[in-house]
Amino acid sequence: GEQSRCSGPCRVPALRTSLSAVYNSRAMGVRRRLKNLTEQQIKASLWRGETTLYNLELEPQKLQQFFHDVWPCGLEIVKATVKEVSIRIPWSQIMTQSILVIAQDIEVEAVAHCEDDTDWQEVVVRMQQQYIRNQQAKLQNARFGTLSSGATGAFDQLRQRLVDGVQIQVNRAKLSIHSRHARHFPSHEGEAEAVVREDAESPVGEVLTVVGEDIIMSPADASHRPCHKLKGVATFCSESYLMQLNKFMKCRAFHVAPGGFPNKCRHASPEYMASPVVLTGRISTCYPSDGASTCPFVQRSELSFECNSALRVRGCECQLRAFLALAMDVGRLEEWRGDERLLFAGASASCSAAADAGA
């Protein structure tokens, strides 16, 4: 066939440089959240767009901070592992096609906290303060209206496009929740108090497991249908000056079960759900925009779920009481997220400590 010719200077090297910078910046960000990552665990071919990581262990504190705006404040991540992650990057169609991430066997262990846990309250306040600082930094660094112009603007535009267009597939994900509070364990007439001490330094047992299988998350169009074309995932509203990005999530087998802590009740059920259900989720995120460029600050985010059938729950009364106690205790801690008194008190304490250290 005929060779293509261009009258102007060739920009392929510049494009490769930009793509390499985007790739390396994302890789370094991921690496900072991993533990014990060695070169032997990485099989990568940058220009072929294929990368595989094996037996990953993520840093719990950094992972908690990274997902602080969506992860429940009452659950402390203590361990997170992934058996295998494969990343496929369509370099030849990077501006129109989605990056594909395939994960195998994700397992997360978390500890449930209550509102009387002052030590954990201080941790949550620090994470919320850091989250606010990160949002303020985004606003200060955002070149609103100029993201599509210049080399730096093109880099930011490309990086944001890569993040928004990622498709994720997970064969199995498991969340294991542990606790040291007696009310989180099924019991009749105080049976749990004999083996659970509220003053224990470490969790004594698993109280709940949540498992999802065959999970997909994909960019979606305005009708929330999965879409791998990046052009169709953004919708601009000229009245509110907002750019809305949509994502679609589906879990083909979602189920919740009691934890592995022994339950002596002869009426206890080994499963809380009669059968797994199909869970469908829709995520919408809105950014300030003038239609041509977008500010990276998230102004509004919406999340909704629905099941394909009615949920049929089973179990003994002791299990129901324990489950509701766990849900209510974790839910109460969400009030810490927006409590200005805690945020200002934490900031004052930090300033006082810094002043004392300087003196």
Side-chain angles (χ1 to χ4, degrees):
E2 297 183 357
Q3 294 182 351
S4 59
R5 298 179 180 179
C6 61
S7 57
C10 181
R11 301 183 181 273
V12 172
L15 177 60
R16 286 186 177 179
T17 302
S18 299
L19 295 179
S20 298
V22 172
Y23 181 90
N24 292 330
S25 66
R26 303 306 300 174
M28 289 303 296
V30 171
R31 186 163 185 168
R32 284 195 296 268
R33 298 181 180 90
L34 299 176
K35 295 173 63 176
N36 304 323
L37 181 61
T38 63
E39 296 300 328
Q40 288 74 20
Q41 290 177 285
I42 302 176
K43 288 171 52 180
S45 177
L46 177 60
W47 299 117
R48 284 190 305 154
E50 296 181 1
T51 302
T52 303
L53 308 176
Y54 299 95
N55 301 321
L56 303 181
E57 183 176 356
L58 286 73
E59 288 283 1
Q61 294 84 3
K62 294 181 180 179
L63 188 65
Q64 184 110 27
Q65 179 68 65
F66 185 73
F67 290 107
H68 174 67
D69 58 329
V70 295
W71 184 263
C73 289
L75 296 180
E76 176 188 2
I77 300 176
V78 295
K79 186 178 182 180
T81 60
V82 185
K83 185 177 181 181
E84 180 180 328
V85 175
S86 297
I87 304 174
R88 301 173 185 175
I89 307 175
W91 291 120
S92 61
Q93 298 175 305
I94 193 64
M95 300 302 292
T96 59
Q97 300 293 322
S98 298
I99 294 174
L100 178 61
V101 179
I102 303 175
Q104 305 286 334
D105 297 325
I106 300 176
E107 294 193 3
V108 178
E109 293 183 12
V111 175
H113 289 277
C114 296
E115 56 186 350
D116 58 353
D117 191 336
T118 57
D119 291 339
W120 179 245
Q121 184 181 73
E122 294 177 0
V123 174
V124 172
V125 169
R126 288 197 298 269
M127 287 192 296
Q128 180 67 4
Q129 291 172 344
Q130 182 61 47
Y131 173 74
I132 293 176
R133 286 194 294 268
N134 292 341
Q135 296 302 308
Q136 292 173 341
K138 284 185 177 181
L139 284 177
Q140 294 174 358
N141 297 331
R143 291 163 296 278
F144 186 81
T146 61
L147 288 180
S148 59
S149 61
T152 303
F155 174 81
D156 291 338
Q157 186 95 343
L158 178 58
R159 180 173 58 183
Q160 189 65 35
R161 184 181 291 269
L162 295 181
V163 175
D164 293 335
V166 171
Q167 289 188 357
I168 301 175
Q169 299 178 5
V170 182
N171 71 325
R172 184 176 184 272
K174 177 183 177 182
L175 170 63
S176 174
I177 301 177
H178 298 251
S179 177
R180 63 177 178 84
H181 300 282
R183 58 185 175 275
H184 297 162
F185 295 84
S187 65
H188 291 280
E189 299 180 358
E191 293 174 349
E193 280 77 355
V195 291
V196 179
R197 294 187 299 111
E198 294 280 347
D199 59 347
E201 296 182 357
S202 60
V204 297
E206 184 185 52
V207 295
L208 191 72
T209 60
V210 182
V211 178
E213 298 179 1
D214 196 3
I215 305 169
I216 61 170
M217 178 177 288
S218 169
D221 58 20
S223 301
H224 293 280
R225 295 188 297 256
C227 176
H228 68 280
K229 300 287 186 180
L230 297 184
K231 186 177 180 179
V233 304
T235 304
F236 175 67
C237 179
S238 58
E239 297 180 357
S240 58
Y241 286 95
L242 291 177
M243 185 71 73
Q244 177 173 308
L245 300 178
N246 304 304
K247 289 185 180 296
F248 171 85
M249 189 187 77
K250 189 171 186 177
C251 176
R252 300 187 185 277
F254 175 83
H255 58 98
V256 180
F261 191 81
N263 187 355
K264 297 180 180 181
C265 176
R266 61 189 181 91
H267 301 292
S269 174
E271 296 284 347
Y272 282 150
M273 299 169 59
S275 61
V277 298
V278 178
L279 192 66
T280 303
R282 296 178 175 84
I283 305 172
S284 297
T285 306
C286 294
Y287 301 87
S289 174
D290 61 358
S293 55
T294 302
C295 175
F297 180 77
V298 177
Q299 181 167 335
R300 186 175 69 247
S301 183
E302 298 178 0
L303 172 65
S304 62
F305 287 99
E306 62 181 21
C307 298
N308 67 325
S309 60
L311 288 174
R312 294 180 173 84
V313 181
R314 58 187 182 186
C316 179
E317 179 184 356
C318 66
Q319 293 177 306
L320 177 61
R321 287 199 305 266
F323 177 82
L324 292 178
L326 175 65
M328 292 178 65
D329 285 340
V330 173
R332 286 194 188 101
L333 269 63
E334 287 302 304
E335 299 176 0
W336 292 356
R337 195 186 298 275
D339 193 329
E340 295 183 357
R341 294 173 301 173
L342 292 177
L343 292 176
F344 288 126
S348 300
S350 299
C351 293
S352 300
D356 294 340

